[in-house]
Amino acid sequence: MMRELGIDPVPIDVGGVLQRSVATLYSHLVTRPTGRAVRLAIETQLAEISRPALSLIDLSEVTVLDFSCADEVVAKLLLRFLEEDRPGDAYFVLRGLGDQHRGPITTVLEHHNLLAVVQLDGASFELIGTRTEIEESTWEILEEAGHVRADHVVEMFPGEAEWLALAELVERRVVLRHADPDGYYALSALVRDLPAPSSDT
Amino acid sequence: MKIVVLPASLDFKTYERVFDEVAATPDGNVLFDGRHVRFVDPNGMVNLLAAGSLARSRKGAPARLEFPEQSEVAGYMARMGFFRAAENVFEVVGRPPQRSEGPSDVLLEITPITENSDVHEVVDRVQKRAGAILTRRLNYPPTAVVQFSVILSEVCQNILEHAEAPGWVAAQSYNWTQRLGRQVVVISVADMGRGFQGSLSDEHSARFGDRWGDATALEAAFIHGLTRFPDSGRGQGIQQIRKQVRRWGGLISIRSGTARIADVPEWEDVPPLTEGLTAFPGSQINIIIPEHATNDA
């Protein structure tokens, strides 16, 4: 599906980026300068891609993630790609989140009123961050369908509130709106095409 | 020369007396008499370094320190890395015990925090050592080790980002059977920087008008998460530390300038806000985490 939509997969192993970008053997994502270096490395990687990209941000090799780094690496990365002058047209899915990552990431997302898609173990996905009930239920409907053609949106989302919620989810970049073929895509449907990240990514 | 007799028990409850006496010695010509110290914890040691630093900066030369006569106490201070950290602060009278090179039961020796990599070192060390102490002695689940490391990372960053001056951190577990009926972990952080009022003044003092002072600055940072940075992502560290310490039924206090603010659990009786303390540079953070009781959340 990603090839059909002209989207490049970009798996990013945050643990690997950490070791390369701060040139140390630390496996812990702590302190704001460290987080900033990691985020800038990810931004640079994504800016080099000319087509729209779906980036899987993999935290499975990160043992400790403090709030400062969660803010720098996750929240500021998402904020940067929500801006009009974003470095590239990238969407994000977080994966490899353990209990130790969830607290800091949820906290910083809520602090900035952000929303992110998380891949859980196996093939299930969830939203974390700030959202309304209608946004959650609308996302779940699309999540179950995988994608909805534009001419079927009224059938799938008959109420105005759901339409507005769908538009908001697109605006917040947790749903992909594609022009040709015309429709709305759950990021999870695209992620299922991606290979597991390697340490070279 | 002013002789400051260190309390027999040098800890969170008593270091204030040392600050009072040192601050009241304008020429910094102080002899710290520690001969009768019988107990010392990370708060006692880290804040003794802060007191010695103030005396040194006033005098222009290291203050003198007589270490405890009891060999167990002096040996413990050596194992905690006190005498190594004190090399640039005190002129130690006599020859203090040497720190052995063997395995240590210390959770985190006194560690100077001067740059970003020091915080990484602290987290690395604690990740290796804290597991056994937190799970076996304090009955916390293994996941608590990461949360504990995050607390240390955030408090150490407070030194680097807000104090703009070097500081120290230390942590150790103690058996508070008599005092609390439980084991505890004590974390102490101190710096000689500009304090919370100094850090926040440029950005926030105007809006507080006449009310601006050490206590207001502490409330602004501790309760409302204000920082001197315009970036809206800042200020979450202390808030999240408070939440975690509260979840663990612990105590957290921050002393800065002439005030101290605290989140106080039911087992402790310090006031949540204390004003009118002796003016002292920098800030001092104290965190006490009690053993996990079976009925805790």
Side-chain angles (χ1 to χ4, degrees):
Chain A
M1 185 182 288
M2 292 187 73
R3 193 171 300 160
E4 184 188 340
L5 298 176
I7 293 174
D8 284 332
V10 185
I12 291 176
D13 165 23
V14 178
V17 176
L18 168 66
Q19 293 202 357
R20 285 196 302 275
S21 55
V22 294
T24 70
L25 292 177
Y26 297 128
S27 62
H28 306 308
L29 206 43
V30 296
T31 80
R32 207 164 270 280
T34 301
R36 195 176 301 129
V38 168
R39 171 172 50 81
L40 291 174
I42 295 172
E43 280 184 20
T44 302
Q45 190 175 340
L46 292 171
E48 288 165 358
I49 297 163
S50 55
R51 300 200 309 173
L54 178 68
S55 180
L56 256 177
I57 303 292
D58 191 319
L59 287 144
S60 55
E61 295 302 314
V62 175
T63 310
V64 180
L65 172 71
D66 70 8
F67 292 94
S68 304
C69 263
D71 189 59
E72 286 290 339
V73 176
V74 181
K76 289 215 170 89
L77 184 68
L78 298 185
L79 283 168
R80 184 73 185 95
F81 282 83
L82 284 168
E83 291 170 358
E84 290 289 323
D85 66 339
R86 49 184 163 253
D89 189 14
Y91 290 80
F92 297 95
V93 170
L94 308 177
R95 84 170 176 193
L97 263 64
D99 290 342
Q100 73 274 24
H101 306 121
R102 239 164 218 286
I105 289 177
T106 305
T107 298
V108 299
L109 292 180
E110 289 176 352
H111 184 82
H112 290 282
N113 196 30
L114 289 167
L115 195 53
V117 176
V118 175
Q119 183 177 17
L120 305 172
D121 287 343
S124 58
F125 291 78
E126 70 172 9
L127 280 178
I128 59 170
T130 311
R131 73 274 192 190
T132 62
E133 279 183 29
I134 190 81
E135 284 167 357
E136 175 85 33
S137 60
T138 301
W139 181 83
E140 282 172 359
I141 291 167
L142 182 63
E143 175 65 18
E144 198 169 324
H147 75 278
V148 177
R149 280 171 34 190
D151 54 0
H152 289 175
V153 166
V154 180
E155 292 161 35
M156 291 285 282
F157 304 104
E160 187 190 0
E162 287 165 311
W163 274 43
L164 291 172
L166 187 61
E168 184 67 18
L169 294 171
V170 171
E171 188 75 14
R172 300 176 78 183
R173 296 177 78 79
V174 291
V175 164
L176 173 70
R177 173 80 167 91
H178 200 269
D180 182 21
D182 198 3
Y184 295 83
Y185 293 81
L187 300 187
S188 61
L190 310 179
V191 165
R192 289 189 180 100
D193 288 356
L194 283 175
S198 73
S199 57
D200 294 334
T201 55
Chain B
M1 176 184 286
K2 168 85 172 175
I3 296 175
V4 176
V5 178
L6 300 181
S9 182
L10 186 55
D11 59 13
F12 168 61
K13 298 276 190 183
T14 58
Y15 75 77
E16 200 65 47
R17 281 162 44 198
V18 180
F19 279 14
D20 289 346
E21 292 196 58
V22 175
T25 312
D27 64 1
N29 195 9
V30 175
L31 167 66
F32 292 86
D33 180 358
R35 289 175 299 157
H36 305 297
V37 171
R38 299 284 180 269
F39 173 81
V40 60
D41 78 353
N43 281 302
M45 284 180 271
V46 163
N47 290 316
L48 180 57
L49 289 169
S53 295
L54 178 62
R56 186 200 158 107
S57 68
R58 287 179 173 178
K59 187 182 173 190
R64 301 187 79 199
L65 170 69
E66 291 192 295
F67 59 83
E69 286 173 343
Q70 276 198 357
S71 59
E72 310 92 285
V73 180
Y76 173 64
M77 291 172 77
R79 289 203 306 284
M80 284 294 291
F82 175 84
F83 296 111
R84 190 188 49 206
E87 276 171 9
N88 297 320
V89 178
F90 292 106
E91 177 195 341
V92 178
V93 180
R95 189 186 161 97
Q98 298 295 301
R99 182 169 165 265
S100 66
E101 293 301 318
S104 168
D105 62 345
V106 173
L107 180 50
L108 178 66
E109 292 95 349
I110 296 170
T111 308
I113 303 294
T114 56
E115 54 189 25
N116 199 34
S117 60
D118 295 329
V119 183
H120 281 275
E121 290 287 349
V122 164
V123 171
D124 263 3
R125 251 185 261 173
V126 166
Q127 277 294 114
K128 285 176 191 147
R129 296 181 189 174
I133 291 172
L134 288 176
T135 56
R136 289 184 208 150
R137 285 195 213 162
L138 276 84
N139 298 323
Y140 280 92
T143 51
V145 179
V146 171
Q147 292 158 330
F148 186 75
S149 296
V150 169
I151 287 177
L152 278 167
S153 169
E154 296 290 350
V155 289
C156 291
Q157 286 179 74
N158 189 67
I159 295 174
L160 296 175
E161 298 211 338
H162 303 285
E164 293 187 334
W168 305 269
V169 60
Q172 181 59 313
S173 65
Y174 294 91
N175 190 346
W176 276 16
T177 308
Q178 288 187 325
R179 190 165 170 183
L180 184 62
R182 292 199 238 176
Q183 298 248 354
V184 296
V185 164
V186 178
I187 301 170
S188 180
V189 181
D191 66 72
M192 295 302 290
R194 52 190 182 159
F196 279 71
Q197 186 187 173
S199 176
L200 298 177
S201 274
D202 287 350
E203 287 294 319
H204 300 291
S205 60
R207 83 169 79 157
F208 290 92
D210 291 344
R211 289 190 298 120
W212 185 246
D214 287 317
T216 322
L218 277 174
E219 284 179 329
F222 193 75
I223 296 172
H224 305 296
L226 294 189
T227 77
R228 68 190 161 98
F229 299 101
D231 174 352
S232 69
R234 300 296 186 110
Q236 297 172 68
I238 288 180
Q239 301 304 309
Q240 299 310 319
I241 292 169
R242 288 180 64 206
K243 267 190 202 167
Q244 186 61 59
V245 171
R246 203 179 305 139
R247 221 173 277 144
W248 284 340
L251 165 75
I252 175 169
S253 71
I254 303 181
R255 185 202 193 284
S256 181
T258 59
R260 181 173 53 230
I261 195 163
D263 276 341
V264 187
E266 80 285 349
W267 51 262
E268 184 54 89
D269 59 0
V270 296
L273 182 67
T274 308
E275 295 183 75
L277 299 171
T278 297
F280 202 86
S283 58
Q284 298 79 37
I285 302 178
N286 166 41
I287 298 173
I288 300 175
I289 300 166
E291 181 183 335
H292 188 71
T294 48
N295 57 348
D296 283 353

